[in-house]
Amino acid sequence: MTSGAPLPYVLPSRTLTRLTPADCTATQWSTAQAKASAGNRVLTFIENGLHSDAFTDDLYRTWSQHLFGHIAHFNRHGFADVWFTTPEAKAAFIQHAMNASGLGHPAWTWSDVEQHLQRTLADHPHLKEPSAWTGAPRPHDCPSCHCTPQTRN
């Protein structure tokens, strides 16, 4: 979106519960801080509306290498084209994350980050619906926050 128009987003900033390094277990390849930071960037991307033009190389690596059994889809643009181009695709992306198995021990995998993301997303069940991703404000009842979508410049 390069038109300068406001980008619709789904949740107010920092609505989704953030990870801390204490929530994560370091692996041989990733520190607890790195896992928490990457997980928090994922949460921010979700709050901001899953816009394909905001899907960075860093987010692509996190999703395609560590989270919920995603595959690479050839490259970042292919991944974004599959998951972030329509409200239906965005809802399917959230459904996939919420229903995936966070397998493995957190000392070897990112299952701790996956489980945190799933618990956090479960507090916002409306995100599984395509109507949550249209950019139109829609009141809904979230168990934890009673948030209402808005538009951000």
Side-chain angles (χ1 to χ4, degrees):
M1 293 185 166
T2 58
S3 68
L7 295 174
Y9 70 102
V10 177
L11 297 170
S13 181
R14 303 194 64 80
T15 296
L16 300 175
T17 305
R18 295 304 193 253
L19 284 151
T20 67
D23 298 320
C24 300
T25 301
T27 70
Q28 179 180 351
W29 306 276
S30 303
T31 65
Q33 177 63 52
K35 288 169 80 173
S37 294
N40 290 336
R41 286 190 298 277
V42 166
L43 292 167
T44 298
F45 179 65
I46 292 169
E47 287 172 344
N48 288 341
L50 298 174
H51 296 290
S52 60
D53 57 349
F55 188 59
T56 63
D57 286 336
D58 179 61
L59 286 166
Y60 170 68
R61 276 190 301 279
T62 298
W63 281 105
S64 64
Q65 294 177 6
H66 301 294
L67 298 176
F68 305 118
H70 279 285
I71 61 171
H73 296 286
F74 299 109
N75 59 34
R76 175 176 58 96
H77 300 289
F79 192 104
D81 286 345
V82 168
W83 292 110
F84 308 131
T85 54
T86 67
E88 293 77 17
K90 292 175 182 184
F93 181 77
I94 296 297
Q95 288 175 356
H96 176 80
M98 291 176 80
N99 296 328
S101 298
L103 299 175
H105 190 280
W108 297 100
T109 69
W110 283 43
S111 60
D112 47 355
V113 176
E114 292 172 319
Q115 290 167 7
H116 177 86
L117 292 172
Q118 287 176 322
R119 285 190 306 270
T120 299
L121 292 172
D123 288 339
H124 303 277
H126 74 286
L127 298 178
K128 296 187 293 184
E129 302 298 327
S131 61
W133 302 99
T134 63
R138 182 180 69 85
H140 51 271
D141 290 325
C142 290
S144 65
C145 71
H146 301 290
C147 54
T148 300
Q150 302 171 19
T151 301
R152 182 179 308 166
N153 288 323

